[in-house]
Amino acid sequence: MSFFFKSFLLSSFLIFVNITLNAQQVNLNNLFLSENIRFNQLGFYPNAQKIAVVSADSLTKFEIITAKENKIVFSGNLQPSTNVALNGKKTLIANFSDFTKPGDYIIYIPDMGYSYQFSIKNDVFADLAKGTVKAFYYQRASMALPEKYAGPWFRNAGHPDNKVLIHPSAATEKKPTGTIISAPRGWYDAGDYNKYIVNSGITTGTLLSLYEDFPSYVKKINLNIPESSNKVPDELDEILWNVRWMLCMQDQDDGGVYNKLTNAFFDGMVMPEITKLPRYVVQKGTSATLDFAAVTAQASRIFRKYETQLPGLSDSCLNAAKKAWDWAIKNPSMSYDQNSMNNKYEPKITTGGYGDRNFTDEFIWAAIELYLTTQNEKYYTAVNILPDERMPLPSWNNVRLLGYYSLLRNEAALKNNQKTDAEIIKKRLLKMANDFIEGASSTAYQTVMGKTNRDFGWGSNANAANQGIVLIQAYQITKDKKYLDHALSNLDYLLGRNATGFSYVTGFGSKTPMFPHHRPSAADRIKEPVPGFLVGGPNPGKQDGVALPSMVADEAYTDSMNSYAANEIAINWNAPLVYLVNAIQALQYECGYSKN
Ligand SMILES: [Ca+2]
Ligand SMILES: [Ca+2]
Ligand SMILES: [Ca+2]
């Protein structure tokens, strides 16, 4: 008989004695922490749904016990899930939504063990909400991060980007190969140190949209960043670090925007100040230019209210947006094909491509943002805003919904055709949300995310967050709480109620990624990775060739530094998480999850 089994029997006996002597208390000595009890590791709002999913067979009961004295405060039955998980097995569901008392707790399952500790309280995601935005501060290029703001992750400045070379692919008569331009600031894109306009586009648009949807909430966020004492909301200050870089990526001669600012090849896993490789701006493109136009048009609208603090910024953004638009109208199909570019020019560029070939969605997004900011119908009528009925979940190469969201959030100001279009989009968005939630409660993890294998490609965790945003838009339109409940279920998914038991955000949760594919996290002297980053998540595609513990779609994840296909971080994955968690925080009182 193994030691563990003996201690298991002994502890069962002790529990029996304990429960007999004192029905209210559980003795956890000699019991095991079980990673098979999966739930949101940060916890729950007092009046929100509370679900843990247990990966096991034939257990019947669960108890909620206090974290300190292990007193039983709630008992329930485990219910088998209606459907099997993607691995073919049913799970057991512990639903303790009826238990609403704030405090710190543990889930105890007789014959299995106990869970991580969690909280029930108002504002339960406040630190995460801030931390996911603060993550962008840690990605800032061209500045040092002092300890005062960065804590243990302080570091020197990297990539000043004030002497950037025009790559031959971007050369013009006025700016021939080797011309030096300055394009400092911006966020490092992901685990690498390059800066890509296409991926910055969706990221910055998503972050601006959080402000546009919840301005009074966002104004209260204090990030402890160098700009925290100015009179601009910190989230906007953080966004501005990237917008100011983006503005430098436009060629003032013609309005076109370079695809990226990059090394010729990826840096090693070193700190940012170590790398001194030449930096280039590479080839202008239609996607980059239209994403730029959309972001700067939206930024112009938002920063108009901060004219006193940031004089001239709103106008600069709008002028940049108009010039970019005009360039794209003249160059409507300039794709970025890195391989064919490398056949023509030296040095060859082998960093991220973000090569998009379909510009319908970028035209829609830019047209809507420019129309909303200028009220000039020429932008709106220049493209077919509703070319078909599709509602593609946002990704770096498909930004159609970002335009649709903006149209809906500014609906009150619409007239004529725009109003009619908004009504059509609203119906489609609600259908999309209804399709998401249909059957979600019958799944093994009771989440919208993971209903099918199709949810699990590269960056699957961002899909979960973007599905959450769709559901929040549906809630905003209808004020029907069911949509918000399902958005929250996807946040629960990301924070631990899933097939791997990971909370996928660095530094937030009990079992979190420790080895993300992220150069500063790998190269600094700190054991804990830089906090607040969403890793890509389960992806059976294995594009990096790193072995995975399972090829079941929702289990295809490994916490390995080499796994850029499952464990990298990226700004376009963090942004929808920022939106999801902050929107839920903003709505927690309105919808009754928390009460004053
Ligand atoms: Ca500020
Ligand atoms: Ca596209
Ligand atoms: Ca580290």
Side-chain angles (χ1 to χ4, degrees):
M1 193 186 288
S2 77
F3 166 76
F4 289 110
F5 190 56
K6 264 192 275 185
S7 55
F8 182 71
L9 281 188
L10 178 66
S11 55
S12 302
F13 173 72
L14 287 174
I15 292 159
F16 174 76
V17 171
N18 231 322
I19 288 177
T20 314
L21 294 177
N22 177 358
Q24 295 304 303
Q25 209 161 17
V26 177
N27 185 350
L28 295 183
N29 292 338
N30 300 319
L31 292 186
F32 296 100
L33 174 82
S34 174
E35 294 190 344
N36 288 334
I37 308 170
R38 279 94 180 250
F39 58 97
N40 188 323
Q41 291 167 23
L42 296 186
F44 307 90
Y45 295 117
N47 297 292
Q49 61 197 338
K50 300 177 198 71
I51 288 172
V53 172
V54 183
S55 175
D57 305 313
S58 57
L59 296 168
T60 52
K61 282 196 68 177
F62 72 94
E63 322 270 11
I64 306 298
I65 62 177
T66 56
K68 238 190 196 164
E69 293 169 329
N70 304 151
K71 283 194 173 163
I72 297 173
V73 290
F74 184 88
S75 301
N77 293 321
L78 293 166
Q79 301 289 347
S81 61
T82 311
N83 296 329
V84 294
L86 297 179
N87 67 5
K89 293 181 194 158
K90 285 193 177 182
T91 59
L92 299 171
I93 311 291
N95 189 329
F96 50 105
S97 303
D98 291 343
F99 182 70
T100 58
K101 193 178 172 205
D104 295 328
Y105 304 100
I106 293 168
I107 302 166
Y108 164 63
I109 298 182
D111 298 333
M112 182 178 209
Y114 58 90
S115 74
Y116 310 112
Q117 188 178 317
F118 63 92
S119 302
I120 295 178
K121 60 179 181 184
N122 290 353
D123 257 342
V124 66
F125 305 122
D127 289 344
L128 174 72
K130 254 197 248 183
T132 54
V133 188
K134 184 70 178 268
F136 287 85
Y137 168 74
Y138 288 115
Q139 289 293 89
R140 287 191 191 187
S142 318
M143 77 176 289
L145 311 185
E147 192 170 7
K148 184 178 169 194
Y149 306 116
W153 298 278
F154 66 88
R155 62 166 171 80
N156 294 329
H159 305 90
D161 286 342
N162 53 358
K163 287 182 184 133
V164 178
L165 300 166
I166 300 277
H167 187 260
S169 63
T172 60
E173 215 168 279
K174 283 190 180 167
K175 293 193 183 73
T177 299
T179 305
I180 290 171
I181 67 162
S182 179
R185 304 188 184 88
W187 299 309
Y188 296 131
D189 183 64
D192 64 321
Y193 293 136
N194 303 299
K195 304 189 290 193
Y196 309 83
I197 286 288
V198 167
N199 210 38
S200 266
I202 182 170
T203 303
T204 311
T206 302
L207 294 176
L208 284 169
S209 298
L210 175 71
Y211 176 84
E212 219 175 6
D213 278 339
F214 304 100
S216 54
Y217 163 85
V218 171
K219 282 174 191 168
K220 289 186 215 134
I221 300 176
N222 183 329
L223 295 176
N224 183 31
I225 54 177
E227 302 82 8
S228 283
S229 52
N230 69 8
K231 297 255 160 56
V232 177
D234 281 3
E235 198 231 8
L236 292 184
D237 286 318
E238 192 49 57
I239 291 170
L240 202 46
W241 189 259
N242 203 55
V243 169
R244 287 198 192 280
W245 164 65
M246 290 179 80
L247 289 169
C248 298
M249 290 291 281
Q250 183 172 45
D251 183 352
Q252 292 307 316
D253 299 334
D254 62 8
V257 177
Y258 305 111
N259 275 294
K260 56 177 172 174
L261 192 164
T262 182
N263 300 351
F265 50 89
F266 285 118
D267 292 302
M269 299 303 269
V270 296
M271 291 302 284
E273 78 264 24
I274 301 292
T275 154
K276 307 284 187 212
L277 293 169
R279 305 271 273 180
Y280 301 90
V281 288
V282 175
Q283 198 173 48
K284 292 163 194 165
T286 305
S287 280
T289 303
L290 286 169
D291 287 340
F292 173 100
V295 166
T296 49
Q298 189 180 13
S300 172
R301 192 162 75 232
I302 288 169
F303 284 111
R304 183 68 67 197
K305 298 192 185 80
Y306 295 92
E307 193 57 38
T308 320
Q309 297 86 344
L310 301 161
L313 177 69
S314 174
D315 283 343
S316 302
C317 285
L318 185 55
N319 290 337
K322 288 175 176 172
K323 275 183 88 165
W325 173 266
D326 291 343
W327 185 93
I329 293 290
K330 284 183 222 142
N331 301 274
S333 58
M334 207 167 312
S335 61
Y336 182 71
D337 180 344
Q338 194 155 278
N339 290 336
S340 67
M341 183 184 83
N342 282 337
N343 289 333
K344 279 189 245 165
Y345 305 111
E346 294 287 339
K348 295 192 192 320
I349 304 290
T350 57
T351 53
Y354 293 109
D356 185 13
R357 286 159 192 282
N358 185 328
F359 313 112
T360 315
D361 54 302
E362 284 81 10
F363 269 109
I364 291 171
W365 184 27
I368 290 176
E369 299 298 350
L370 270 156
Y371 163 71
L372 289 171
T373 301
T374 62
Q375 298 296 312
N376 186 335
E377 289 204 354
K378 85 167 183 184
Y379 297 109
Y380 198 92
T381 53
V383 305
N384 186 351
I385 298 292
L386 303 170
D388 55 52
E389 292 187 9
R390 292 184 317 119
M391 296 287 282
L393 199 63
S395 63
W396 60 263
N397 63 357
N398 206 323
V399 291
R400 185 198 287 202
L401 253 59
L402 272 71
Y404 289 178
Y405 293 157
S406 280
L407 205 62
L408 293 185
R409 75 168 58 94
N410 291 284
E411 201 195 356
L414 300 179
K415 300 180 289 260
N416 313 329
N417 291 340
Q418 290 80 35
K419 194 153 193 76
T420 317
D421 287 354
E423 286 304 320
I424 294 167
I425 291 168
K426 210 188 281 182
K427 278 200 193 96
R428 289 180 187 169
L429 191 127
L430 289 178
K431 181 181 181 305
M432 183 180 191
N434 289 334
D435 287 348
F436 279 164
I437 68 179
E438 191 188 342
S441 302
S442 311
T443 67
Y445 291 91
Q446 313 240 306
T447 58
V448 169
M449 178 63 182
K451 269 165 52 178
T452 78
N453 287 308
R454 289 190 301 281
D455 286 336
F456 299 94
W458 202 328
S460 65
N461 282 339
N463 287 348
N466 272 307
Q467 289 171 346
I469 296 178
V470 171
L471 292 161
I472 287 165
Q473 302 307 312
Y475 171 79
Q476 292 288 68
I477 293 166
T478 60
K479 293 291 166 189
D480 185 335
K481 189 165 156 287
K482 75 181 174 195
Y483 295 113
L484 205 56
D485 290 345
H486 284 283
L488 180 57
S489 85
N490 267 19
L491 185 62
D492 290 339
Y493 169 90
L494 290 172
L495 298 173
R497 200 168 100 206
N498 59 53
T500 69
F502 269 92
S503 167
Y504 290 118
V505 187
T506 56
F508 289 90
S510 303
K511 182 186 181 184
T512 60
M514 289 300 288
F515 309 101
H517 182 88
H518 180 232
R519 280 164 176 73
S521 293
D524 68 10
R525 64 221 168 277
I526 307 299
K527 182 170 166 247
E528 287 76 23
V530 184
F533 286 104
L534 181 67
V535 296
N539 169 22
K542 244 170 53 170
Q543 291 86 345
D544 48 29
V546 174
L548 296 170
S550 165
M551 287 302 278
V552 175
D554 58 354
E555 299 174 350
Y557 170 74
T558 180
D559 180 17
S560 156
M561 193 188 84
N562 295 327
S563 178
Y564 55 79
N567 208 34
E568 187 165 358
I569 64 93
I571 56 172
N572 65 313
W573 301 338
N574 245 64
L577 176 62
V578 164
Y579 189 104
L580 176 64
V581 61
N582 280 283
I584 290 173
Q585 277 284 111
L587 294 166
Q588 63 177 307
Y589 293 100
E590 167 185 316
C591 77
Y593 291 157
S594 298
K595 283 175 186 156
N596 279 316

